[in-house]
Amino acid sequence: MPAKILVLAVLPLLLSFLATLAQAQQESGMPDRLRLGVVVAADEAARERVEPFRLALEDVADMPVDLFLMDTMADAIEALAADRIDYARLSPSGYAAVHQLCACIEPLVTAAPDDFPARFYAILVAKRNGEKNTLADLKGTRLAVGGTHAVTGYRVPLTNLAADGINARAHFSALVEVQDPVEGLRAILDGRVQASLAWSTLAGEAKNGYTAGTLNDFYVAGGRGFNDLEIVWRSPPIPYSAHSLRKDLPDELKRRIRAGLMDLRREAPDAYLAIEPDLPGGFEPVVHGDFRPVLRTFEEEYVTLLNPQGR
């Protein structure tokens, strides 16, 4: 056989061998098992409830999945940082906390409550005054806020207002703590404060207070004066949840799991609802930067601002 013909005959086999070798090298770092952590609080039936998701994750990851039940979000945060689990469904603040501890996780998807984008916002609300209010108009007035641990009622808005150039402690004459965001709206209408922090999906009909959030709660409760309220400021969008994997897992496994999760609501709705019972709208992909509004709350430059004594 002439040498040229021999090379042409062998070339496809060589290329196939090299592709197989590259794939084997890529997957050589695959773990034998995946460790799934799930926060269950006081749910005594959690193991049975989560089982459909664990089984679906085994199919997606193509490997055994071990389930670890966590009492609190803090337990899941610690377990991820200590490399005792590989995967967890975190709150946005939980994701930011793990990143602050070790920068060792990567978000894959977030869940949606409905068919609108899977994001919500911290907002600042004031009373209409004939023309649209601005933050400048509110300088020197009283602002209703939540407790110091409230994500959308305190931490996210204060840090993201600061990122926009507004130090709330200097801009407003007083930060007045209220029992909950709806009480903050009532405080605007009865004159105790001139603005209040709240949250909203900002999706759907504005005339109904949008699909969910403080304005919607006030509207549904028949709050008098609803039409006298307006949104003056909004934070960047915030994902509802963060299904996250440790960064040191192979990229091929991350891609495989993300793709499987994206199809989960359609392919296995029972498995989807087992892990996201309160957010039935399906998964959307996310990246680290999507959590920037919450990540800021852990950054050193904002620590003093979030301190009740900060100035």
Side-chain angles (χ1 to χ4, degrees):
M1 181 181 293
K4 184 176 181 179
I5 295 176
L6 179 61
V7 169
L8 291 174
V10 171
L11 185 58
L13 295 175
L14 178 61
L15 292 175
S16 177
F17 170 77
L18 290 175
T20 301
L21 179 61
Q23 181 70 16
Q25 290 174 336
Q26 184 182 41
E27 297 195 357
S28 61
M30 285 287 180
D32 295 330
R33 313 177 73 83
L34 192 69
R35 300 167 296 174
L36 167 65
V38 175
V39 178
V40 299
D43 184 1
E44 296 181 358
R47 187 171 295 276
E48 181 180 354
R49 175 179 60 80
V50 174
E51 182 65 5
F53 178 74
R54 188 193 68 79
L55 292 173
L57 189 58
E58 281 192 336
D59 289 340
V60 166
D62 193 25
M63 66 179 61
V65 172
D66 298 325
L67 176 62
F68 295 82
L69 300 181
M70 309 280 165
D71 289 336
T72 67
M73 185 64 65
D75 292 332
I77 291 168
E78 182 182 357
L80 279 167
D83 193 17
R84 295 199 300 272
I85 58 174
D86 303 305
Y87 178 127
R89 184 248 190 232
L90 300 170
S91 66
S93 291
Y95 174 80
V98 179
H99 178 75
Q100 177 70 14
L101 285 173
C102 63
C104 58
I105 60 170
E106 179 178 331
L108 301 180
V109 297
T110 186
D114 45 40
D115 292 331
F116 291 99
R119 303 292 189 275
F120 65 96
Y121 301 78
I123 58 175
L124 187 149
V125 180
K127 190 173 183 179
R128 298 182 191 276
N129 63 1
E131 296 183 5
K132 185 170 178 61
N133 281 300
T134 67
L135 286 172
D137 295 329
L138 294 170
K139 184 173 176 62
T141 62
R142 293 161 63 83
L143 175 68
V145 302
T148 57
H149 296 292
V151 176
T152 54
Y154 187 87
R155 295 177 61 82
V156 164
L158 261 61
T159 53
N160 285 272
L161 279 166
D164 288 344
I166 301 292
N167 181 323
R169 295 190 182 280
H171 189 81
F172 295 94
S173 63
L175 303 185
V176 181
E177 185 173 339
V178 291
Q179 182 177 354
D180 56 55
V182 170
E183 179 61 23
L185 300 187
R186 295 193 186 101
I188 294 173
L189 295 169
D190 66 22
R192 284 178 284 156
V193 300
Q194 288 69 53
S196 182
L197 300 177
W199 77 277
S200 176
T201 61
L202 297 183
E205 297 285 345
K207 65 182 182 181
N208 300 330
Y210 302 101
T211 57
T214 311
L215 290 170
N216 182 261
D217 291 341
F218 191 66
Y219 174 82
V220 171
R224 296 181 62 182
F226 171 81
N227 291 325
D228 294 329
L229 299 170
E230 66 175 352
I231 297 172
V232 178
W233 173 90
R234 67 182 67 182
S235 73
I238 305 166
Y240 282 91
S241 59
H243 286 251
S244 304
L245 280 175
R246 282 190 54 88
K247 276 185 179 178
D248 53 10
L249 291 170
D251 289 341
E252 169 61 25
L253 179 59
K254 296 172 192 173
R255 287 192 293 268
R256 190 188 303 168
I257 293 176
R258 177 184 273 120
L261 292 175
M262 291 291 294
D263 293 335
L264 192 62
R265 184 178 70 153
R266 183 183 68 253
E267 299 291 335
D270 60 330
Y272 175 85
L273 292 173
I275 196 66
E276 288 287 5
D278 299 322
L279 296 170
F283 286 127
E284 296 179 13
V286 286
V287 296
H288 177 73
D290 292 327
F291 294 89
R292 182 69 175 140
V294 185
L295 289 163
R296 282 193 175 110
T297 67
F298 288 86
E299 293 176 2
E300 186 174 350
E301 64 183 293
Y302 299 115
V303 171
T304 300
L305 177 66
L306 292 176
N307 185 325
Q309 306 304 318
R311 288 287 175 186

